[in-house]
Amino acid sequence: MTKQLNVFVENRPGRLESVTQSLLESNINVRAFAMQDRGDYGLLKLIVDKPQEAYLALSEKNFACALKDTLAISVPDKPGNLHKLTTVLAENDINVIDAYGFVLEPDHQGICCLEIENLKETNAPQIVSEAGFEVLSAEELSDL
Amino acid sequence: MQVPFWDERIETASRGDLEALQLERLKKVVDSAFKTPFYKKRLAKAGMSSSDDIKSLEDLKKIPFTTKDDLRKSFPKGLLACDMDEVNRIHSSSGTTGIPTVIYFSGEDVDTWTDLVARCVVCTGASKKDVFQNMMTYGLFTGGLGLHYGAEKAGMTVIPVSSGNTLRQVQIMQDFQTSVVHATPSYMLHIRTVLDENDISLKQLNLQKAFIGAEPHSENVRKKIEELYNIDAYNSYGLSEMNGPGLAFECVHKAGMHFWEDGYIVEIVDPETDENLEDGEPGEVIVTNLIRHATPLMRYRTRDLASILPGQCECGRTHRRLSRIKGRTDDMLIINGVNVFPSQIEEVIMKIPEVGTNYQICLDKQGALDRLTVQVEIYSKMFTGSAGELENLRHRIVEKLKGTITIKPLVKLHEPGFLPVYEGKAKRVIDERPKDEQ
């Protein structure tokens, strides 16, 4: 399963910088990130090449962080594909807690990172694959 | 200025007569005290065997001090001096710091207390012509019921609204043309802003007086309240261990609070050395209740710092006056009239596994009201990475604190290591409320 690193960061200048500084010191490459604003604080979500190392690096610097299972799905960058994906999820009663996406190659490939409610019980990877989407393994994601 | 009295004979009694009455009542209270398990032991240890050991007021010093901790340790009945059949009322602290403190009143105890509160009300010039809106909390807290009974006895028209719901308070003030209110000073300031926000002019009200208490406040705050409403505001002093309100109250001259010395013996002592201090010298207020027999309490350490004002009041009352409360000997915070100890907050926080051990309590003003912000750090090992759980955690801390201290705080979650780390004594409380408004 793909790992996403969730980091608790306060909403004030310099906090994000101190996260990236720690990642830099451990030579971690960030593939994707998103920031969830919660007022006084935010939740920084990172897809990195070495999740476990990144986790240790940030923990060592006293950050509150956690590795979460996430579903990284390759979605062809064409109109209607995101809808096709969400339709499959809806039909199978799969709930998305959090999501973000990015285009990897314009007109060719995009990636959707989905946090699924009770992921282990949903059989979501199989359902998504059967619908024709490619679910990326941790290695595939790291090697993008 | 015409000076009204509730009980002129006793309010203007000579010093000698007052002291003779104090001695007589003190002996009776000592008799009651000997009926309680707590004082039986405590007084025996001090070498006393009966009220015969009290021959003059000077002998009061033979009696050891009683502290809040003594009250806690005596819970529930260590200080009860009579049969429960004779108990008419119970007032108690919320007990959120662990063990509550409880005060039992006999029917007569309630009556004597009420009489002193009526005396307070009347010495401000309030009378049966007044409509009295009591905005102080009712319930186990003594502020609401104490003034309620006293004002009723003084013949006022009493509206027992209790605290909160400002719009409703304002509506009632208009509907019944309230002339006297009882509230904390910060609540008085708050109501004024609500009047402005709702375009209600002072002309639509009939307010003339405010009894303000439960929070130490400065002369400036009183003046501000008086100017904002164009009324007279009178300072009130009381504490639940000493019945509640009615301990000391300002008269029409507003020059210090008359301590009803037939009901209480007041001493001022140096909190470090426990030496008795002269009038005019500031120290800890020590009170002996002379009129309550179900729960006798002698030489009680109030932790309040104040002084006795030297000299006589122009009103003719011989009972000495207490200055404003200048501070406390402990770390108790008064937040919108509610007593809060930082240790109460600490206890709640420390029981929540998702937060670290470092925390900070910040106080400031939001408009006229105090605002409490509690800052905690996320405990990294318990962090799950879920935003929803963080919000739940914050909500849980708010609710737990509210359940304990009755005030709803703002809770801020911080990264581990955000709060300053202290070597030695930590500075947990940052009080940014303007000093002259506390």
Side-chain angles (χ1 to χ4, degrees):
Chain A
M1 193 67 64
T2 311
K3 294 286 181 192
Q4 173 182 290
L5 187 57
N6 286 10
V7 192
F8 176 84
V9 275
E10 282 176 45
N11 195 352
R12 55 193 170 89
R15 297 318 299 150
L16 212 46
E17 186 270 343
S18 98
V19 174
T20 52
Q21 175 67 34
S22 301
L23 296 176
L24 169 67
E25 283 165 13
S26 295
N27 200 25
I28 308 275
N29 192 15
V30 177
R31 296 288 179 189
F33 73 94
M35 188 81 183
Q36 195 177 354
D37 172 38
R38 309 290 295 191
D40 288 336
Y41 58 86
L43 208 55
L44 174 65
K45 305 185 172 193
L46 295 162
I47 301 274
V48 296
D49 56 348
K50 293 171 281 187
Q52 195 62 36
E53 278 178 44
Y55 171 75
L56 290 174
L58 290 176
S59 295
E60 210 163 86
K61 288 277 162 67
N62 222 353
F63 278 100
C65 53
L67 284 171
K68 303 279 281 186
D69 285 327
T70 188
L71 210 53
I73 304 162
S74 175
V75 180
D77 182 22
K78 293 279 159 22
N81 275 337
L82 181 58
H83 178 66
K84 190 178 157 199
L85 174 63
T86 56
T87 305
V88 172
L89 295 172
E91 281 169 353
N92 288 278
D93 211 18
I94 292 167
N95 192 34
V96 178
I97 302 172
D98 193 41
Y100 55 98
F102 50 97
V103 171
L104 205 60
E105 286 174 61
D107 296 327
H108 183 63
Q109 192 189 15
I111 306 284
C112 272
C113 292
L114 304 182
E115 210 178 306
I116 304 287
E117 189 177 352
N118 301 323
L119 174 60
K120 292 202 164 72
E121 292 145 41
T122 56
N123 211 17
Q126 201 187 329
I127 291 166
V128 171
S129 300
E130 279 168 9
F133 293 101
E134 190 189 349
V135 177
L136 302 178
S137 68
E139 292 73 31
E140 283 168 325
L141 193 68
S142 303
D143 292 340
L144 284 175
Chain B
M1 201 181 307
Q2 200 195 342
V3 182
F5 289 100
W6 173 251
D7 186 344
E8 185 165 358
R9 190 184 57 84
I10 205 121
E11 289 175 60
T12 58
S14 71
R15 202 72 224 157
D17 285 353
L18 257 183
E19 286 179 358
L21 186 57
Q22 283 187 327
L23 181 61
E24 183 194 319
R25 288 184 172 175
L26 177 62
K27 286 164 88 68
K28 281 186 189 155
V29 162
V30 170
D31 283 334
S32 295
F34 268 108
K35 294 178 194 159
T36 70
F38 169 78
Y39 275 120
K40 204 178 207 172
K41 238 166 104 182
R42 179 66 63 95
L43 295 175
K45 215 173 155 191
M48 291 174 67
S49 53
S50 78
S51 59
D52 291 340
D53 292 314
I54 304 289
K55 295 197 166 59
S56 72
L57 282 180
E58 200 47 37
D59 290 333
L60 178 68
K61 288 179 190 146
K62 288 181 183 169
I63 301 169
F65 295 116
T66 303
T67 63
K68 188 161 189 110
D69 204 42
D70 291 328
L71 279 177
R72 288 208 185 99
K73 284 179 181 151
S74 306
F75 187 84
K77 288 185 177 167
L79 273 152
L80 179 63
C82 63
D83 208 69
M84 276 306 283
D85 288 2
E86 287 164 50
V87 172
N88 224 206
R89 186 157 356 135
I90 289 175
H91 279 286
S92 166
S93 69
S94 51
T96 46
T97 44
I99 309 164
T101 58
V102 57
I103 302 291
Y104 301 92
F105 295 80
S106 69
E108 208 183 323
D109 293 344
V110 173
D111 287 344
T112 46
W113 171 27
T114 299
D115 202 63
L116 289 187
V117 181
R119 202 188 282 180
C120 298
V121 166
V122 168
C123 81
T124 66
S127 73
K128 63 179 188 180
K129 292 191 172 68
D130 285 298
V131 175
F132 175 62
Q133 188 165 336
N134 195 4
M135 301 176 176
M136 212 57 101
T137 309
Y138 279 63
L140 284 175
F141 173 62
T142 52
L145 277 173
L147 242 300
H148 176 100
Y149 271 66
E152 227 172 50
K153 188 158 186 184
M156 299 171 90
T157 306
V158 179
I159 313 177
V161 208
S162 196
S163 55
N165 200 343
T166 309
L167 279 175
R168 185 157 156 262
Q169 299 278 10
V170 170
Q171 188 61 50
I172 290 171
M173 288 169 88
Q174 294 175 83
D175 290 347
F176 300 108
Q177 290 294 290
T178 300
S179 55
V180 182
V181 293
H182 178 214
T184 62
S186 25
Y187 197 55
M188 285 307 291
L189 294 170
H190 176 66
I191 295 172
R192 190 65 180 87
T193 57
V194 172
L195 289 177
D196 286 344
E197 281 164 17
N198 290 279
D199 291 324
I200 298 166
S201 77
L202 292 178
K203 278 184 197 140
Q204 291 168 265
L205 307 178
N206 181 36
L207 195 61
Q208 289 151 32
K209 289 181 176 65
F211 302 151
I212 51 178
E215 269 176 5
H217 57 282
S218 67
E219 189 58 37
N220 285 343
V221 167
R222 180 235 296 275
K223 283 197 180 118
K224 197 167 167 188
I225 291 170
E226 292 191 323
E227 280 163 18
L228 283 172
Y229 289 95
N230 192 23
I231 58 166
D232 290 302
Y234 299 92
N235 194 2
S236 156
Y237 178 59
L239 58 154
S240 56
E241 298 86 343
M242 284 299 147
N243 296 351
L247 200 49
F249 221 85
E250 281 181 334
C251 70
V252 285
H253 291 280
K254 295 187 277 196
M257 300 175 281
H258 289 282
F259 219 104
W260 303 124
E261 294 189 85
D262 57 319
Y264 305 94
I265 296 177
V266 57
E267 299 168 82
I268 305 290
V269 304
D270 183 322
E272 307 275 317
T273 65
D274 292 348
E275 293 287 321
N276 279 71
L277 299 170
E278 296 291 315
D279 287 2
E281 291 183 74
E284 184 179 347
V285 180
I286 308 290
V287 189
T288 298
N289 193 321
L290 297 174
I291 49 161
R292 193 179 61 214
H293 290 276
T295 313
L297 211 49
M298 303 183 294
R299 302 198 83 200
Y300 183 70
R301 300 201 81 129
T302 65
R303 301 268 160 198
D304 287 326
L305 296 171
S307 60
I308 295 284
L309 301 175
Q312 193 89 18
C313 182
E314 284 176 54
C315 73
R317 285 177 184 81
T318 48
H319 300 235
R320 289 177 302 165
R321 292 159 300 159
L322 190 70
S323 73
R324 288 184 178 282
I325 305 304
K326 296 182 169 85
R328 294 194 44 92
T329 63
D330 60 16
D331 56 356
M332 188 180 87
L333 302 166
I334 300 180
I335 307 169
N336 292 326
V338 178
N339 300 346
V340 175
F341 285 93
S343 57
Q344 289 176 272
I345 294 173
E346 176 172 301
E347 205 171 291
V348 170
I349 292 169
M350 293 305 152
K351 278 189 194 150
I352 299 171
E354 293 95 329
V355 298
T357 51
N358 207 357
Y359 68 95
Q360 203 155 55
I361 297 164
C362 304
L363 286 159
D364 63 357
K365 285 271 178 188
Q366 191 178 37
L369 295 179
D370 296 332
R371 180 172 61 178
L372 168 68
T373 308
V374 178
Q375 298 185 303
V376 299
E377 291 177 356
I378 296 291
Y379 181 48
S380 35
K381 291 200 169 53
M382 293 293 292
F383 181 64
T384 63
S386 151
E389 278 174 36
L390 281 173
E391 202 37 53
N392 283 344
L393 169 65
R394 209 187 56 75
H395 187 70
R396 212 161 79 229
I397 302 171
V398 170
E399 289 305 312
K400 288 214 157 146
L401 282 172
K402 192 176 162 227
T404 297
I405 60 175
T406 74
I407 294 168
K408 191 172 177 180
L410 267 178
V411 168
K412 289 196 170 171
L413 303 179
H414 292 283
E415 289 169 23
F418 166 79
L419 294 168
V421 179
Y422 294 93
E423 290 173 17
K425 199 172 155 50
K427 189 170 164 52
R428 300 283 190 205
V429 180
I430 310 285
D431 197 338
E432 288 176 340
R433 293 176 292 183
K435 276 285 167 281
D436 71 328
E437 286 184 20
Q438 282 176 38

